[in-house]
Amino acid sequence: MTSTQQDPAENARACLLRLAPYLLGRVRRGVVGSSRYAQKLREAIRDAAADGSGGPVLISGEPGLEKDNIAALIHFGSVARHQLLVQVNCALLRPDGAELFAAGADGLTLIDCLGAGGLLLDQIDKADPLLRPALLKLARSGRWVSPDDGHEHQFPGRVFLTAETTAPDFDACCRHIRVPPLRVRRQDLGEWLRYGVRQKARSLGWATPPAVSEGLIKRLQTYDFPGNIRELTLVIERALRQCADDRPVVLPDEVFWTGRRSQRARFDLWRWKPQLRDVMRSPLLWNGLLFGVVSWVFVLVNLWLWFGPQDRAHNGALNMFWAWWWPVILLTYPVVGRLWCSFCPFMVWGEISQRIAGALGWQPARWPRGDSDAWAAPILSAGFAAILLWEAVWNLENTAWLSSCLLLLITLGAVIGSLRFEKRFWCRHLCPVGGMNALFAKLAISELRAQAGICSGSCTSYACFKGGPAEGEGLATAGCPLGTHPAHLEDNRNCVLCLTCAQACPHRSVQLRLRPPAADLQRDMDPPAGEAGLILVLAGGVCLHHWQKLLGGVALAPANLQEGPLLPRLAFAALALALPAGVFLLVRHQRGWGRRPEKAASRLRLSLYALLPLLWALMLVDHLPLGMAEAGLVLPVSASPWWPQLAARLPGWSADGHVIAFCQSLVMAVGVAGSVVLLRRLLQPLRWGWLALGWLALGLGAGGRWMVAGG
């Protein structure tokens, strides 16, 4: 008995079974957004749905744009909405199209079973070349030839087609709808995010969907989303799953991670020396260093500063602070970035206070989400400016108890910050020294990063970010102390190389890599709020150190900043500190920037980052005389107050003045060269090209050498 002679109920049942793998049962979503692109797309969908002729529709666009959903919107918005809609992937069809046109064991073809429904031919541009003429005929006239009997048949339904590349032969016979990619619809991204978060949160069982901050939307608008809607959906799902246990009111920015720019010229140290990874991620090493050494050495240093001699020539702790710590930390920035912050004594005592408070029942508040830099960055910059003024006016370099006051004041901030918020909120957002470390860490040749593909494909616990129990070779940790995921990091700013993520990761995704210097600084970077202000404060610190050359000839200028009435000294110190900020504001508010003042202002802010190598060089040049002349005398200086005879016999070393001057000149040359290269990278193409860079190099070199000569 043929299929036409079968019972109609059996026939319908067989057709449904045949169509089931291909059915599109519903519309996933409408067109989200209010941009002109979204409005134009909605209008095109309405027009196609209202087309009474039922002509074919070609929907083209990049991968991930849910073109099949556009076809569903048209079909279920038309008069044929009660008919079935099936989707067939043309890339998987055989050259003869047997899946479409040939009868199966039940004597039914897929097109016959569909009747007057809608047929979506997906990825028509990837169909076999031998099959394309048959598909073109089906789209143009609805006719198709059966390979079984060779007879021509008529398809009464409507044909939809999708393509990722141009298909001019199909374009000529179809109504064409072009779906714009997300990167040209950046205005719609906020609505897409909020819609996607609401939908996914409900599917995960959240009673109240979390909010999305404007800062996050602006950050994601700088990303092109090459995977379009599909990629955005995955980003939203991954973000919500990371927060599933906490369910915050506002989603943290850190849980949204997208593709990053190319990570070329990287060398994985742990792949080269696997045993190095095992040693470095040992908790015993870090806990012993932090709580067994650093915490108590810090206490002893402060006692020494308070109860020992008060001048640098007789106090070994003061010698270590100014002749050792400052030059060494500056020298390490280009190599290991913020490593100092991982065993910083300020935050060690902050963590100890946090643990004691926890044992007593005090629970710090959860990490505040949103754009904390907007309010914290001005506080950080003001704190660093206050430290520079305090150092210059009150002669901290040669006053032991005041130097201790500085250390204890920063420690107090770390303790209060640790009791107020969980983890190291103070270290990330408010610590003045940490802010400086974060800036110069961008110049480092090392970085700690995770492989986003492994994290998204293998990880479900996100223990490196949130903390959690041991899993596989991953160890139990409290999570990243700075609240970041190693796969999210765009630069070294929020990584202190504490290796907590490497300890927690069971998939060996985290890598310790070498890279080109200043790889974080690119034209397409998105600088956080407030960093420009801190750069200007650092530049002001250099001016403050050389205030006499800059302001010494001004009337009423004091002879020096350590003696005489306080008010004039403080006023001239503040004036010197504010000089770079004043110049920047003056240039920024100049008119005549051309047709695109916003772009010019953005380029001006970017140009500040080109100053980082020069500022690093100038600060190191200022501290080299202390380091090279006095650091080698720490043993006799330490012993001199209590045992002068022993101090006379202890070894000491002090560099010759000519050697110091040579090292200063060498450092200046490196800083100037680095700033010129960075300026070219950040602002290319420059209007005046290499001529402007040449003048800049000469000016920076001359100014730096002038300061070195007076150092």
Side-chain angles (χ1 to χ4, degrees):
M1 184 169 60
T2 64
S3 62
T4 57
Q5 296 172 324
Q6 292 175 357
D7 180 72
E10 286 187 24
N11 211 20
R13 191 179 306 112
C15 281
L16 284 176
L17 289 174
R18 185 71 184 275
L19 295 175
Y22 306 100
L23 281 177
L24 277 178
R26 61 184 179 86
V27 174
R28 290 192 294 277
R29 63 177 63 85
V31 177
V32 180
S34 55
S35 67
R36 60 186 179 91
Y37 295 102
Q39 294 171 10
K40 186 176 179 181
L41 183 57
R42 285 195 201 95
E43 183 179 350
I45 291 171
R46 283 195 298 267
D47 291 345
D51 184 1
S53 66
V57 181
L58 173 63
I59 305 165
S60 65
E62 295 179 359
L65 284 171
E66 296 188 335
K67 297 180 287 293
D68 58 337
N69 189 61
I70 302 295
L73 283 168
I74 297 171
H75 174 78
F76 292 110
S78 71
V79 294
R81 64 177 64 90
H82 300 297
Q83 300 289 338
L84 298 178
L85 174 65
V86 299
Q87 177 180 357
V88 178
N89 190 342
C90 295
L92 303 179
L93 296 179
R94 285 178 284 183
D96 61 356
E99 296 88 347
L100 272 176
F101 306 129
D106 54 5
L108 299 170
T109 68
L110 188 113
I111 292 188
D112 282 333
C113 289
L114 185 57
L119 174 63
L120 171 57
L121 300 174
D122 196 21
Q123 299 189 50
I124 192 71
D125 51 324
K126 295 182 180 179
D128 191 285
L130 297 176
L131 179 61
R132 285 177 71 101
L135 297 178
L136 181 60
K137 183 176 182 179
L138 178 65
R140 182 183 293 126
S141 62
R143 297 183 177 275
W144 57 279
V145 177
S146 170
D148 301 317
D149 56 16
H151 292 163
E152 191 174 74
H153 300 263
Q154 180 70 38
F155 172 54
R158 191 173 192 179
V159 178
F160 301 92
L161 310 99
T162 71
E164 294 176 357
T165 58
T166 56
D169 45 351
F170 289 89
D171 192 11
C173 66
C174 299
R175 175 191 291 268
H176 193 175
I177 296 177
R178 293 179 174 85
V179 185
L182 275 184
R183 66 176 177 276
V184 304
R185 297 172 55 190
R186 299 181 196 273
Q187 178 184 335
D188 295 334
L189 189 60
E191 294 170 77
W192 267 109
L193 275 171
R194 295 186 180 97
Y195 172 82
V197 166
R198 286 196 305 270
Q199 297 298 105
K200 192 61 189 176
R202 290 193 186 102
S203 69
L204 293 175
W206 292 38
T208 304
V212 178
S213 69
E214 289 298 325
L216 171 64
I217 294 172
K218 290 179 181 178
R219 178 169 71 83
L220 292 182
Q221 283 174 336
T222 65
Y223 177 62
D224 285 342
F225 284 99
N228 291 294
I229 297 170
R230 187 185 303 132
E231 181 180 2
L232 178 60
T233 303
L234 290 174
V235 167
I236 292 172
E237 179 176 0
R238 190 183 301 126
L240 288 173
R241 290 191 182 279
Q242 288 187 66
C243 299
D245 296 334
D246 306 330
R247 301 195 177 186
V249 176
V250 179
L251 282 174
D253 292 6
E254 290 80 6
V255 298
F256 284 87
W257 38 306
T258 55
R260 300 193 302 271
R261 54 178 174 263
S262 174
Q263 301 291 300
R264 296 178 296 176
R266 300 302 196 268
F267 180 76
D268 184 3
L269 288 172
W270 288 343
R271 186 176 181 182
W272 173 55
K273 293 290 184 183
Q275 62 273 25
L276 186 62
R277 176 180 179 273
D278 298 331
V279 173
M280 294 181 68
R281 67 194 291 265
S282 167
L284 182 62
L285 170 66
W286 288 99
N287 290 335
L289 179 64
L290 288 173
F291 303 106
V293 178
V294 172
S295 57
W296 299 111
V297 167
F298 184 68
V299 172
L300 294 175
V301 165
N302 278 280
L303 290 174
W304 196 348
L305 291 173
W306 274 94
F307 300 108
Q310 290 300 296
D311 62 307
R312 202 170 60 245
H314 298 91
N315 191 308
L318 199 59
N319 177 286
M320 285 189 288
F321 182 33
W322 293 103
W324 277 93
W325 184 81
W326 268 108
V328 168
I329 194 176
L330 287 165
L331 284 169
T332 58
Y333 285 146
V335 181
V336 291
R338 288 193 72 172
L339 179 63
W340 159 256
C341 289
S342 66
F343 50 87
C344 162
F346 312 136
M347 273 312 303
V348 169
W349 282 100
E351 290 190 13
I352 292 174
S353 303
Q354 219 171 48
R355 296 184 182 187
I356 295 174
L360 297 176
W362 174 264
Q363 184 64 35
R366 301 301 300 270
W367 191 289
R369 299 303 178 182
D371 189 12
S372 297
D373 282 321
W375 61 268
I379 297 175
L380 187 151
S381 298
F384 199 86
I387 289 174
L388 292 173
L389 289 173
W390 191 9
E391 173 190 336
V393 176
W394 279 271
N395 193 20
L396 263 63
E397 290 184 3
N398 207 39
T399 310
W401 73 275
L402 281 178
S403 294
S404 176
C405 287
L406 173 60
L407 298 177
L408 294 176
L409 189 61
I410 299 176
T411 306
L412 178 62
V415 169
I416 294 174
S418 299
L419 295 177
R420 179 67 182 88
F421 296 117
E422 64 177 352
K423 298 188 177 183
R424 292 191 176 191
F425 183 84
W426 163 270
C427 187
R428 175 168 174 174
H429 290 292
L430 293 169
C431 178
V433 179
M436 176 185 66
N437 296 348
L439 266 178
F440 286 125
K442 297 173 186 287
L443 305 177
I445 61 171
S446 60
E447 65 180 15
L448 193 72
R449 300 289 188 273
Q451 302 173 76
I454 293 179
C455 295
S456 60
S458 304
C459 184
T460 57
S461 65
Y462 305 104
C464 60
F465 165 57
K466 298 192 299 183
E471 177 188 355
E473 71 168 27
L475 307 174
T477 70
C480 176
L482 264 63
T484 58
H485 194 298
H488 302 169
L489 292 171
E490 293 288 345
D491 59 24
N492 281 347
R493 175 178 182 251
N494 293 323
C495 179
V496 297
L497 293 176
C498 65
L499 303 185
T500 302
C501 53
Q503 293 172 3
C505 180
H507 307 292
R508 299 204 170 198
S509 173
V510 181
Q511 298 176 331
L512 179 63
R513 306 186 298 200
L514 298 180
R515 64 181 194 175
D520 293 340
L521 302 176
Q522 304 289 339
R523 280 196 304 278
D524 60 348
M525 67 181 182
D526 183 25
E531 269 195 352
L534 184 57
I535 294 174
L536 293 171
V537 170
L538 290 172
V542 175
C543 294
L544 179 58
H545 194 272
H546 300 276
W547 76 275
Q548 284 185 319
K549 289 185 176 181
L550 297 169
L551 302 173
V554 178
L556 304 178
N560 61 64
L561 294 180
Q562 286 79 42
E563 298 177 0
L566 175 62
L567 191 59
R569 291 188 287 129
L570 193 58
F572 274 85
L575 180 59
L577 186 64
L579 279 177
V583 172
F584 176 80
L585 292 174
L586 182 64
V587 173
R588 192 182 69 176
H589 287 93
Q590 287 291 320
R591 294 296 180 261
W593 287 59
R595 297 180 179 178
R596 304 180 68 180
E598 298 85 3
K599 185 175 181 180
S602 173
R603 286 161 69 94
L604 179 62
R605 285 192 298 272
L606 276 180
S607 69
L608 289 177
Y609 286 86
L611 294 176
L612 284 179
L614 180 64
L615 289 175
W616 167 81
L618 287 169
M619 291 178 68
L620 183 56
V621 159
D622 286 342
H623 288 90
L624 272 180
L626 267 181
M628 297 182 71
E630 298 186 21
L633 304 175
V634 64
L635 292 178
V637 165
S638 301
S640 61
W642 296 284
W643 201 342
Q645 295 82 2
L646 177 63
R649 295 195 297 270
L650 287 174
W653 175 84
S654 182
D656 182 79
H658 296 86
V659 175
I660 296 175
F662 172 78
C663 292
Q664 288 178 302
S665 299
L666 183 62
V667 169
M668 277 304 308
V670 172
V672 169
S675 285
V676 170
V677 170
L678 271 184
L679 188 67
R680 176 66 178 174
R681 179 195 299 173
L682 294 173
L683 300 186
Q684 186 182 19
L686 291 174
R687 180 177 297 178
W688 298 286
W690 286 103
L691 179 62
L693 289 174
W695 280 110
L696 176 68
L698 289 174
L700 293 178
R705 193 68 190 91
W706 170 63
M707 289 188 174
V708 169

